[in-house]
């Protein structure tokens, strides 16, 4: 029999509706998984057992009355410690943030989940201010991979990915400024979606500007579609949010991929060296899409690596984050963050605007690309999870985390929706992800293709050892 902690959010809600189990049962199961994995994986900054059980009891009473509060009433959810959660400090992975204060606001996505009855079980780890693609830092230590605790979970939403992977709630809120939901989801073997920019409102505004997205990290694409129904609700605090959602993220999810035009780019035109095991698993996922009726051809988007433009925008944002800190507080920062902040502070306004020009040209190129193709499919990452506690794999020659994430950050520059789906494991049993990228506003098409991989069995991987 499947344990409650291993059920999806869709399955939990269905079970509540049928009276097969209660939110209290599901939340207790999620909390047990969180507590059991925490000493080894370190997915959480804080596990909120008492408040979660109180919320679960209130939800159970609503279900007993046949009056659930919303679409995810009673579902255990975790929240990355970059997003405001009312009543709890948001430390952002930094020793420079003081926990004292009122902390009386929810981020928009958190507020929408609360309105729909979600049960908040804890705050998940992040590197300091979410600055890098792995999850470790001076405030919360190292977050490890549930499939092999000697390896990294990825980042910056590494705590959220690890939490979902071990069964500590089927839903988690993450943020993605250069791959930060897709990287850890790929390393930990779960699903994640970076929606079109502005589709999920964000407040306070990110110092990384319009690179930063909020997205669902879930067991599968169906759970992500359910979560998107909730977190895309409007919020007047975000001036850059998109207009009202037209239709439903779940309508047409089962529509399959027949007739979709899919471009498969195994290495972005030879720009990326991809490990053979990763390449083989991704090709298998692509073949599955073709077997289901998609028109697939190998084709590369026409753009050079925009990493320097990304660095200009990203490091400038990091410098802005710490601009108010005293010299003594700066000494408390992650040394790598301190270094990139120094680099970011040296950029001029003209440097920044030159990077914006490159970004705009990249968006133009991808807009033309998607006039010919509905979707672009690539590896999510060229590698699988490496040693925990380091920013780059030893011996790789990379200077910064962007060196090993070349498939992710371009689509933050273009603001396109992009998802990662687990599509296999390497020889060490470490998960591999396939990335599905859509045109701006085509979030439902991305979800539909991802769901097709789950329905076909192409997205099945072994559960983590610490699940």
């Amino acid at each position: 029999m499947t344990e409650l902690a291993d059920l999806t959010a869709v399955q939990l809600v269905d079970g509540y509706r049928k009276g097969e189990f209660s939110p209290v049962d599901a939340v207790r199961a999620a909390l047990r998984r969180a507590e059991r994995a925490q000493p080894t994986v370190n997915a959480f900054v804080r596990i909120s057992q008492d408040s979660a059980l109180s919320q679960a009891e209130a939800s159970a009473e609503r279900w007993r009355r046949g009056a659930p509060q919303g679409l995810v009433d009673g579902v255990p959810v975790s929240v990355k410690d970059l997003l405001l959660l009312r009543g709890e400090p948001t430390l952002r992975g930094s020793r420079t943030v003081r926990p004292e204060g009122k902390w009386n606001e929810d981020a928009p996505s958190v507020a929408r989940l609360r309105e729909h009855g979600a049960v908040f079980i804890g705050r998940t780890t992040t590197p300091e201010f979410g600055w890098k693609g792995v999850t470790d830092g001076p405030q919360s230590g190292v977050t490890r991979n549930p499939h092999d605790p000697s390896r990294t979970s990825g980042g910056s939403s590494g705590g959220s990915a690890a939490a979902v992977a071990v069964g500590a709630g089927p839903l988690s809120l993450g943020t993605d400024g250069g791959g930060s939901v897709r990287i850890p989801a790929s390393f930990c073997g779960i699903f994640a979606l970076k929606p079109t920019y502005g589709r999920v409102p964000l407040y306070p505004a990110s110092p990384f500007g319009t690179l930063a997205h909020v997205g669902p990290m879930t067991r599968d694409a169906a759970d992500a579609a359910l979560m998107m129904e909730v977190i895309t609700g409007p919020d007047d605090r975000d001036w850059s949010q998109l207009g009202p959602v037209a239709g439903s993220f779940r309508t047409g999810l089962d529509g399959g991929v027949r007739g979709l035009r899919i471009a498969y780019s195994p290495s972005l035109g030879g720009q990326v060296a991809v490990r053979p095991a990763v390449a083989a698993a991704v090709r298998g996922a692509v073949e599955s899409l073709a077997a289901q009726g998609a028109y697939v051809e190998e084709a590369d988007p026409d753009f050079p690596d925009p990493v320097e433009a990304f660095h200009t925008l990203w490091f400038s944002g990091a410098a802005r984050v710490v601009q108010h800190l005293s010299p003594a507080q700066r000494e408390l920062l992650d040394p790598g963050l301190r270094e990139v902040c120094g680099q970011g502070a040296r950029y001029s306004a003209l440097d920044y605007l030159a990077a914006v020009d490159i970004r705009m040209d990249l968006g133009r190129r991808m807009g033309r690309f998607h006039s010919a193709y509905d979707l672009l499919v690539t590896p999510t990452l060229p590698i699988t999870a490496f040693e925990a506690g380091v920013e780059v794999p030893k011996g790789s020659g990379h200077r910064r985390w962007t060196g090993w994430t070349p498939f992710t950050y371009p689509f933050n520059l273009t603001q396109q929706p992009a998802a990662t789906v687990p599509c296999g494991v390497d020889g060490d049993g470490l998960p591999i992800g396939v990335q599905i990228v859509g045109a701006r506003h085509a979030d439902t098409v991305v979800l539909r293709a991802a769901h097709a991989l789950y329905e076909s069995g192409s997205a099945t991987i072994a559960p983590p050892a610490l699940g």
Side-chain angles (χ1 to χ4, degrees):
M1 179 179 176
T2 303
E3 293 187 25
L4 278 179
D6 295 323
L7 296 182
T8 67
V10 170
Q11 291 169 329
L12 287 178
V13 171
D14 186 55
Y16 300 159
R17 184 178 297 109
K18 294 175 179 176
E20 295 174 346
F21 43 78
S22 81
V24 175
D25 301 324
V27 170
R28 287 190 186 279
L31 288 168
R32 282 195 296 271
R33 289 286 184 91
E35 296 282 2
R36 187 171 78 189
Q38 182 63 11
T40 303
V41 174
N42 187 34
F44 289 90
V45 176
R46 187 179 308 104
I47 299 172
S48 306
Q49 185 168 53
D50 291 343
S51 65
L53 289 172
S54 177
Q55 294 168 53
E57 288 164 0
S59 174
E61 177 58 29
R62 292 192 292 270
W63 280 104
R64 280 193 292 270
R65 297 197 315 266
Q69 186 169 307
L71 294 177
V72 291
D73 200 343
V75 176
V77 176
S78 57
V79 179
K80 184 180 182 179
D81 198 32
L82 288 183
L83 296 166
L84 294 176
L85 178 64
R86 191 177 72 218
E88 295 188 13
T90 300
L91 300 179
R92 305 176 77 191
S94 181
R95 291 182 293 179
T96 68
V97 178
R98 298 182 63 84
E100 299 86 358
K102 294 183 179 179
W103 301 108
N104 56 5
E105 275 192 297
D106 283 329
S109 51
V110 175
R112 302 294 86 78
L113 285 165
R114 193 185 299 278
E115 291 164 3
H116 279 259
V119 174
F120 299 104
I121 67 167
R123 308 303 304 275
T124 57
T125 53
T126 175
E128 197 160 21
F129 302 114
W131 80 272
K132 61 183 174 180
V134 293
T135 301
D136 59 65
Q139 192 264 341
S140 53
V142 178
T143 298
R144 299 176 180 275
N145 195 306
H147 293 267
D148 179 350
S150 72
R151 312 291 183 111
T152 181
S153 64
S156 64
S157 305
S160 287
V164 173
V166 301
L171 306 179
S172 193
L173 275 175
T175 64
D176 189 315
S180 288
V181 299
R182 290 162 290 156
I183 294 165
S186 180
F187 277 177
C188 292
I190 68 163
F191 179 82
L193 171 70
K194 177 187 76 67
T196 299
Y197 177 80
R199 187 74 281 159
V200 180
L202 175 61
Y203 171 84
S206 171
F208 299 106
T210 57
L211 293 173
H213 305 224
V214 177
M217 305 182 71
T218 61
R219 291 208 185 286
D220 59 20
D223 269 12
L226 173 65
M227 199 171 177
M228 285 288 286
E229 298 276 22
V230 175
I231 64 176
T232 53
D235 195 292
D236 291 339
R237 295 172 292 175
D238 183 357
W239 66 270
S240 65
Q241 66 184 313
L242 297 177
V245 176
S248 165
F249 291 95
R250 291 179 293 171
T251 300
L253 189 66
D254 294 322
V257 296
R258 183 169 299 279
L260 287 182
R261 302 163 301 167
I262 297 179
Y264 166 45
S265 178
S267 62
L268 294 180
Q271 295 184 78
V272 183
V274 179
R275 286 187 185 170
V278 173
V282 171
R283 183 173 291 276
V286 171
E287 290 171 351
S288 174
L289 294 171
Q292 295 177 65
Y295 297 112
V296 178
E297 65 176 295
E298 197 164 314
D300 301 306
D302 174 29
F303 62 78
D305 186 356
V307 67
E308 292 307 321
F310 180 81
H311 282 169
T312 300
L313 301 173
W314 190 254
F315 296 168
S316 295
R320 177 64 175 161
V321 170
V322 305
Q323 189 176 31
H324 69 287
L325 298 181
S326 68
Q329 287 176 309
R330 286 173 182 257
E331 288 302 312
L332 299 174
L333 296 173
D334 180 332
L337 174 60
R338 201 161 55 236
E339 184 178 329
V340 302
C341 288
Q343 183 174 340
R346 292 190 291 271
Y347 291 126
S348 70
L350 290 178
D351 293 330
Y352 194 94
L353 290 173
V356 171
D357 285 343
I358 291 171
R359 182 181 192 181
M360 293 172 71
D361 182 65
L362 181 60
R364 176 190 63 81
R365 290 169 184 253
M366 288 308 301
R368 294 188 65 181
F369 185 81
H370 282 289
S371 69
Y373 299 101
D374 298 301
L375 297 171
L376 168 66
V377 175
T378 74
T380 306
L381 297 164
I383 59 175
T384 51
F386 52 88
E387 180 185 356
V390 296
E391 183 184 346
V392 300
K394 290 184 177 177
S396 66
H398 298 310
R399 181 77 183 97
R400 296 263 76 103
W401 61 272
T402 44
W404 51 269
T405 60
F407 293 108
T408 59
Y409 56 77
F411 306 110
N412 291 82
L413 290 165
T414 61
Q415 303 186 338
Q416 295 171 242
T420 183
V421 181
C423 62
V425 296
D426 69 5
D428 294 321
L430 296 168
I432 295 166
V434 57
Q435 179 174 235
I436 303 172
V437 182
R440 289 180 74 242
H441 312 295
D443 304 69
T444 55
V445 181
V446 172
L447 285 168
R448 179 154 53 99
H451 185 64
L453 288 176
Y454 280 97
E455 290 293 282
S456 69
S458 302
T460 302
I461 66 166
L466 294 170

